[in-house]
Amino acid sequence: MRSAAAYCDYDNYQPHFLDSCFLCHRPLNHNTDIFMYRGNTPFCSQECRQEQIEMDEEVERRWKVSSSSKRSNRQTSSDPAKESDTNKAVRTGTVAVA
Ligand SMILES: [Zn+2]
């Protein structure tokens, strides 16, 4: 049962790369132009490809920004540390009062 499901997933996982647009998933006909990007990513139109290029550029830009300002990017991971600091302070205060 398990392996059957896994096989099914695996089957679904394999995208038919040159059969549909990477962005809008419109089927690509063999008699229409296919716009390739980065070697193996097909698009139905220049617009779709351009959109993907712009998205990629934005992701790259964000990566550069996040790597240059790690502090603001680690807000979630600094929260637990803050919490434990608060706990410590409360405990110490309690001890001091007692
Ligand atoms: Zn498209």
Side-chain angles (χ1 to χ4, degrees):
M1 253 198 167
R2 245 192 173 185
S3 59
Y7 179 80
C8 201
D9 279 347
Y10 181 73
D11 211 29
N12 283 339
Y13 181 70
Q14 288 200 310
H16 298 281
F17 258 108
L18 290 170
D19 286 351
S20 62
C21 175
F22 185 77
L23 192 76
C24 69
H25 303 294
R26 207 180 301 176
L28 297 172
N29 297 317
H30 289 289
N31 53 355
T32 56
D33 283 341
I34 297 173
F35 294 84
M36 299 299 289
Y37 170 51
R38 287 191 170 174
N40 59 356
T41 313
F43 295 93
C44 68
S45 66
Q46 223 171 332
E47 286 78 23
C48 279
R49 185 176 64 176
Q50 186 58 35
E51 204 160 318
Q52 183 61 42
I53 291 171
E54 278 167 19
M55 279 196 289
D56 279 0
E57 280 173 356
E58 201 171 309
V59 168
E60 264 170 47
R61 227 175 287 144
R62 272 189 211 160
W63 269 104
K64 275 174 194 166
V65 169
S66 71
S67 66
S68 66
S69 62
K70 273 178 184 168
R71 262 190 187 174
S72 61
N73 204 28
R74 293 188 61 180
Q75 271 179 352
T76 40
S77 61
S78 78
D79 268 352
K82 246 185 196 174
E83 246 173 58
S84 70
D85 269 3
T86 315
N87 283 344
K88 246 188 214 165
V90 170
R91 253 184 225 162
T92 316
T94 313
V95 170
V97 171

